[in-house]
Amino acid sequence: VQLQASGGGVVQAGGSLRVSCAASGRTFSIYRMGWFRQAPGKAREIVVSITWSGGSTYYGDSVKGRFTISRDNAKNTVYLQMDSLKPEDTAVYFCAATEANSFLVRSYKYWGQGTEVTVSS
């Protein structure tokens, strides 16, 4: 499975951004797709996860009500809409995929390149 992330950028606090992740290869093996983020000096954490076919979602507490994940199976693409962004959302965002029903970083076998999101105050 190959993952290609796009989007991100610089936005002021309160603004919005959307990042995308296109999957290719053995996508039939994917059970969950997720977005993770890693801020400088901090551990990588889950932002949100969605099942590849069923649409079941899991949101990290810090983004509930502000971020929305969606998928377009025809395009093998997952989108993360980020609204009401805060400076603490600044991080490198990674999309990832797993064959397991898991929200743990270590369970995600396939990773895309990171895309930077910077929220200025």
Side-chain angles (χ1 to χ4, degrees):
V1 175
Q2 293 80 44
L3 304 174
Q4 181 69 44
S6 60
V10 180
V11 66
Q12 288 189 330
S16 299
L17 282 174
R18 189 177 82 158
V19 291
S20 304
C21 180
S24 60
R26 295 170 57 90
T27 57
F28 59 84
S29 69
I30 297 173
Y31 188 84
R32 279 191 169 272
M33 294 281 292
W35 283 97
F36 295 79
R37 67 186 182 186
Q38 188 164 18
K42 294 189 176 181
R44 192 168 297 188
E45 64 175 359
I46 189 166
V47 175
V48 61
S49 175
I50 187 169
T51 52
W52 187 246
S53 59
S56 173
T57 57
Y58 169 85
Y59 288 88
D61 289 340
S62 62
V63 305
K64 284 180 181 176
R66 300 188 298 119
F67 290 12
T68 305
I69 192 169
S70 61
R71 76 205 191 284
D72 183 337
N73 282 354
K75 296 182 179 180
N76 285 344
T77 299
V78 171
Y79 303 95
L80 177 63
Q81 177 66 39
M82 302 181 286
D83 298 318
S84 301
L85 282 161
K86 304 175 181 179
E88 51 263 43
D89 294 317
T90 295
V92 178
Y93 285 69
F94 300 88
C95 65
T98 178
E99 297 161 355
N101 186 21
S102 173
F103 314 121
L104 300 177
V105 173
R106 64 175 181 264
S107 298
Y108 283 72
K109 182 177 179 181
Y110 309 101
W111 291 84
Q113 84 284 10
T115 183
E116 287 195 54
V117 171
T118 301
V119 184
S120 60
S121 57

